[in-house]
Structure formats: structure tokens, C-alpha cells
Amino acid sequence: MRLMDVLALEIAGVAASQLHFQASLLDAEPIHTVLLHFCSALAFLLFPQLELYGSWRGRSLPDLFLRLAASWALVLMIGLFFSFLIHHVGHVSRLWLFYWYAIGVALLMLYRSAVYFVLRYLRTKGMNSKRVVLVGYGTTGQELHRRAHDLDWAGYDVVAVHAAAEDADKINDPAIVRIPDLQKIHEYVTANHIHEIWITLPLMESPKLQQLQYLLRNTLVDIRWAPDILGLQMLSNKMTNFLGFPVVDLNQPISSGLNGIVKDIFDKVFALVALILLIPLFVVLAVLIKHSSPGPVFFKQPRLGLNGKKFNVYKFRTMKIHEEHGKVTQATRNDPRITPIGAFLRRTSLDELPQFINVLLGDMSVVGPRPHALQHNELYKDLLEMYMLRHRVKPGITGWAQIHGHRGETDTVDKMAKRVQFDLHYIQNWSLWMDIRIIVWTAFKGWTGKNAY
């Protein structure tokens, strides 16, 4: 494959020359020929270090292609630096370089795809598969087993399991061998041509892990450890490097870091455009609200934002001025406090539009979990285990829960639990495309609902 890669890159360079110069590469500036052979040789040396020739088993094709494209780009940048050092960078055609990169990536991906799908087909037919012993059958062990069974193209066949007594009855396949004792694992692996051992013991069984490490010290097969962290009810399980140690971030949302910057820019631009377009509507609604009852046009109330920081959320006032006496009473059907124009605003969610101001101020996002009253946070944080994790991201004007009908009054714990479930799904699976889908869905069907009053 390393030689195939070099051949593909050489062919790509010649093809780029024909495409750009309409001539042989030998007729172009000599630096192009030098750069072609230099980068091809560099790819031969660097691609193995960039893990392009590891096992494809169990890895997705897009991940492989992304690593391949990045590795080829790195080689080209080093090649450009080399041409700079020999004072010929000014003679390199940038368009030829672009064509070479694009054709090179296409060729590398094309023949890899052919090999990849041939191997997938063979594995679905039971060929080129690896026999696996699974140690531990908790949440993570069961999920790994399910995926190995469903993703038959990965070529993993779980043939034996060591499980705790309380998990043994969860093994439904009678063909799977039960290994009762840890001491028997090495013997079974040696006698049955096992290729890999997957350890999925929970963190609380660390003494057992140490014992297993000793028992498997002479076992010459691949051993993988997948810590049983699926049972931990947290937002994420991303592995990172911290002070030189591998650590797992348990509640770091996807929409943080660079993703958070992208989301923040999108929010600010969208909110600014929305507010400019909504100015005429704001004027009309302000007049109607002032006419309906005495009091201000806008209503503000404290809420918890990102990481529990307090801010004032803005809405159009929909109720007559009244005293709450230290508690927040949610609006109910036919609530006498709601004004006629307020009923329309609440039913259509137009009362939420001033929250675009909160987005511009940086307190909210366009999409995210809806902010609840402070009293509700105090009530539900002890009733629902994952409730406060909603505040690891900015609250939103609309959200995944709202477009699925979980909006309005939450007069029971079950209703709030359902809303929190959808909010956490959004946080754990966030993407910019998901935000755009939610906004479009809200525009067409998310403004009204049977629970909105």
C-alpha cells in the first residue's frame, strides 16, 4: 500500500501537469519535477508515522479519509517549505499544486475505498474475522457486544464472555461460552485461537483489573480496555491529555472550544439579522401591549445561564401586573392574569422574540435548552438527577424539546423529565447542522402547541 500511495501521487502530479500546463511535467519549471519526487518520497516516509496503514477494522471511512487528506496536505506544506529553502518557491504554480492535491486525494481515496469495501464484504461472509473474549458484561460490555454483532462488516466475533453473577443472565446467545473464573481466561484464549480480549469492567472493580493484568501478562493477543463509563450519567466521555495524563471529560459539552466559537458567531449574526427584520413587528406588538393593560412592554425575569450565571431574560409582557409573593406560578389554561393580546402572543410564542436581545448580549443562544424560573431549578435539581446539566450550555430561544412538543406548562415531574431528556440529547449530539434544522422546524411548526397557553 505504501508503494501504491507513491505511485498514485506520482500519477496525480503528472495528471495535474496535463490539466494545468497542457504539457508534460518535464516541459514545466524544473521545480515541479523536483517537488513531485520529493513529496512522493516524503509521503512514503511520513504516512506510516501518521497512522495511515493501521487496521481499518471498526473504523469509519470518513474518519480515514479525513486523516488521509490532512496527511497529504502536511506533506505538501513540507514540500513547499523545502522549495522555499532552495529559493524556488516563487516558481511553483499554485494552481498546479491545487490540482495535484485534489487529484492525489481522489486517487488515494478511490483505491482505498475499493479495498475497504472488498474487506467489508468478505467479513460479512465470515471471512477475515477476529475471535474476541469479552471480560465484563455491564452497560459498556453489552453495548460493545451489540455493536460487534450488528456491524458484521467490522469482522469481530464475540465467542466467550466472563461476566459477573448479576450480569450472566443478560447473555442471550447460547453459542457464547461463559468463562466463570478470571484464571480460566488465559487458558481459553490459548486453546481457542482468540485474537483479542476486550475488558469492560466498571471502574469500581479496579482490584479485579489489577488481578487481570497479572493473569494476562503472558497472553500474546491484542487486549483492549473500554472503561465502563456508559453507566455514568454525564454529558460526555471524551478522552483528553491533561498535564501529561490521559483524562476523561465527563461533562464537557460538544458545543465548547472551537465549536463554541462557531456557534456563538452564528447566534450573534442570526440574532442581529432577526432583530433588524422584526423591528416593524416589535412596534406593532408594543402598541397592542400598551393598549391591552397598564404596564411596561417588556417583561424581564432572572434565569440561570451558562454554568449557572444569572441573567435577566426578556419577553413581551403577556399578563396584567401582579405580585408573585416569592414564588413563580406558571400560566395555566384560561389563566385570568393573561391579557387578550398576551394569550395570542403566548399561543404563538411571539412573546419570546425579545430574547434575540439576550442572544446579542451573550446570555442566550438561538437554540438550546429553554431557561426555567429559578424556583423551578431549585425544585427539580433534587428530583431529576441530570437536571442541572442543562446549564452547561447557554439556554436557547427554541430547542430540541420544544420542536418535539415539550413546551408550556410542566405541572408534573414526568413532563419536566421528558423535557430534560430531550435537552440532554441535544447537548450530547449538538452540531451546527442540528441547530439549523431546529430553527427551520421552529419556523414552520414550532411556534404553537397544545401546551402553549
Side-chain angles (χ1 to χ4, degrees):
M1 185 169 279
R2 292 174 69 180
L3 293 175
M4 282 286 292
D5 283 350
V6 171
L7 179 62
L9 295 179
E10 292 276 344
I11 292 173
V14 173
S17 175
Q18 292 292 337
L19 187 63
H20 178 51
F21 301 120
Q22 281 83 45
S24 167
L25 193 62
L26 296 175
D27 298 328
E29 290 281 347
I31 184 60
H32 295 92
T33 302
V34 173
L35 200 58
L36 174 71
H37 298 320
F38 175 80
C39 288
S40 298
L42 193 61
F44 183 83
L45 296 174
L46 282 186
F47 277 5
Q49 310 305 318
L50 297 171
E51 300 181 0
L52 291 187
Y53 303 116
S55 174
W56 297 355
R57 196 184 298 261
R59 297 168 63 186
S60 69
L61 207 55
D63 289 343
L64 291 171
F65 285 171
L66 183 62
R67 180 178 290 274
L68 183 64
S71 300
W72 177 217
L74 176 64
V75 168
L76 280 185
M77 284 191 288
I78 296 175
L80 273 178
F81 182 68
F82 168 75
S83 63
F84 168 78
L85 291 179
I86 62 175
H87 304 288
H88 281 78
V89 69
H91 299 290
V92 177
S93 168
R94 287 171 293 181
L95 193 56
W96 171 79
L97 205 62
F98 172 77
Y99 287 150
W100 187 24
Y101 176 77
I103 296 172
V105 167
L107 290 178
L108 292 174
M109 289 183 178
L110 188 63
Y111 92 81
R112 272 175 167 77
S113 297
V115 175
Y116 184 87
F117 285 109
V118 167
L119 289 175
R120 281 183 59 149
Y121 175 77
L122 292 176
R123 288 167 185 160
T124 59
K125 299 301 180 182
M127 293 178 277
N128 192 30
S129 62
K130 289 194 174 185
R131 294 160 60 82
V132 177
V133 169
L134 190 57
V135 181
Y137 210 67
T139 307
T140 300
Q142 294 171 50
E143 180 63 17
L144 267 180
H145 187 192
R146 184 192 66 78
R147 294 187 187 188
H149 179 269
D150 293 347
L151 306 178
D152 54 356
W153 53 264
Y156 288 111
D157 183 18
V158 177
V159 297
V161 173
H162 167 78
E166 62 272 16
D167 294 326
D169 58 346
K170 298 174 183 174
I171 306 172
N172 299 318
D173 188 349
I176 292 179
V177 176
R178 276 70 163 177
I179 304 177
D181 301 319
L182 287 179
Q183 289 81 359
K184 302 281 187 179
I185 294 177
H186 172 73
E187 178 184 337
Y188 182 88
V189 168
T190 304
N192 292 275
H193 307 291
I194 300 301
H195 300 95
E196 294 192 11
I197 300 172
W198 297 350
I199 302 173
T200 64
L201 294 173
L203 298 177
M204 66 183 68
E205 294 194 46
S206 55
K208 201 171 183 180
L209 284 170
Q210 292 177 335
Q211 180 187 4
L212 191 60
Q213 180 184 20
Y214 175 78
L215 292 172
L216 298 179
R217 68 194 186 281
N218 297 324
T219 306
L220 304 180
V221 300
D222 291 338
I223 302 175
R224 303 179 189 272
W225 179 39
D228 188 4
I229 56 178
L230 291 181
L232 295 174
Q233 297 295 306
M234 303 301 281
L235 292 181
S236 62
N237 51 22
K238 180 183 177 183
M239 181 74 75
T240 59
N241 185 292
F242 179 73
L243 299 180
F245 283 88
V247 298
V248 180
D249 290 327
L250 295 179
N251 69 341
Q252 189 74 19
I254 298 175
S255 57
S256 59
L258 182 60
N259 288 333
I261 295 173
V262 172
K263 180 174 172 63
D264 191 54
I265 293 173
F266 174 80
D267 285 338
K268 296 287 177 44
V269 172
F270 189 93
L272 182 61
V273 172
L275 284 172
I276 293 172
L277 296 177
L278 291 171
I279 286 176
L281 179 61
F282 274 41
V283 173
V284 172
L285 293 179
V287 172
L288 293 174
I289 292 169
K290 293 295 287 186
H291 184 265
S292 66
S293 66
V297 171
F298 294 112
F299 163 79
K300 66 179 182 179
Q301 195 175 45
R303 295 285 194 270
L304 288 187
L306 179 64
N307 293 327
K309 179 183 176 182
K310 286 186 181 180
F311 72 99
N312 286 319
V313 66
Y314 293 101
K315 295 185 179 184
F316 282 123
R317 181 173 60 84
T318 60
M319 292 184 176
K320 300 170 185 175
I321 301 297
H322 62 280
E323 292 290 337
E324 286 284 54
H325 303 294
K327 68 174 183 176
V328 175
T329 306
Q330 282 188 296
T332 58
R333 193 178 299 277
N334 302 319
D335 195 315
R337 300 172 298 167
I338 300 177
T339 63
I341 182 62
F344 170 75
L345 294 177
R346 297 176 76 93
R347 191 166 58 251
T348 57
S349 296
L350 292 176
D351 61 320
E352 311 285 359
L353 292 180
Q355 288 163 37
F356 282 117
I357 299 172
N358 288 115
V359 176
L360 279 183
L361 293 175
D363 296 322
M364 293 181 64
S365 291
V366 177
V367 179
R370 289 292 299 146
H372 296 156
L374 300 184
Q375 290 85 343
H376 292 156
N377 291 333
E378 290 299 316
L379 172 64
Y380 289 110
K381 73 178 184 180
D382 294 324
L383 294 177
L384 301 174
E385 183 179 355
M386 302 279 285
Y387 179 86
M388 290 303 289
L389 289 179
R390 302 170 73 254
H391 300 98
R392 287 290 291 163
V393 298
K394 290 181 182 179
I397 298 175
T398 185
W400 189 248
Q402 282 62 47
I403 64 172
H404 284 88
H406 302 288
R407 57 191 298 270
E409 185 182 11
T410 50
D411 53 342
T412 67
V413 175
D414 288 341
K415 286 184 179 180
M416 183 61 81
K418 202 67 178 176
R419 181 182 293 187
V420 171
Q421 177 186 341
F422 276 80
D423 287 340
L424 294 179
H425 174 85
Y426 166 77
I427 296 172
Q428 292 166 331
N429 297 276
W430 175 87
S431 68
L432 188 60
W433 173 238
M434 188 178 190
D435 275 3
I436 294 172
R437 284 166 48 208
I438 292 172
I439 291 170
V440 172
W441 199 337
T442 301
F444 284 100
K445 57 181 293 187
W447 291 101
T448 60
K450 62 181 181 179
N451 297 323
Y453 39 80

